[in-house]
Amino acid sequence: MKRLCLILAAVMMVSVLATGCQPSAHDRYRQMTYRRAADMDALGIQDDFDASVLLTERPSHLSQWYAR
């Protein structure tokens, strides 16, 4: 059983080394998509923060800019 596990491990190592480590076009596309999604999330968080700040700066009856 040990011998079979060693042979299987050796076959797996040879197959990993034989395939190489070159990134495929799909891997680059997936990385680009992930980066774009992360950038859009960061912009969305900034927009949400700006919207919340602008909502708190609206004139109210306590504001000096309230039209009386």
Side-chain angles (χ1 to χ4, degrees), residues 25-64:
H26 181 69
D27 290 337
R28 288 190 298 271
Y29 177 75
R30 184 173 47 226
Q31 183 180 13
M32 180 186 66
T33 304
Y34 176 75
R35 187 177 300 136
R36 186 182 304 138
D39 291 343
M40 291 297 112
D41 287 345
L43 289 174
I45 290 170
Q46 182 64 40
D47 287 343
D48 292 343
F49 178 75
D50 290 344
S52 64
V53 167
L54 289 175
L55 284 175
T56 59
E57 292 180 355
R58 295 176 67 189
S60 67
H61 67 282
L62 299 176
S63 174
Q64 62 178 341

Side-chain angles (χ1 to χ4, degrees), residues 12-34:
M12 292 296 292
M13 290 300 293
V14 168
S15 66
V16 167
L17 294 174
T19 58
C21 297
Q22 295 287 359
S24 66
H26 181 69
D27 290 337
R28 288 190 298 271
Y29 177 75
R30 184 173 47 226
Q31 183 180 13
M32 180 186 66
T33 304
Y34 176 75

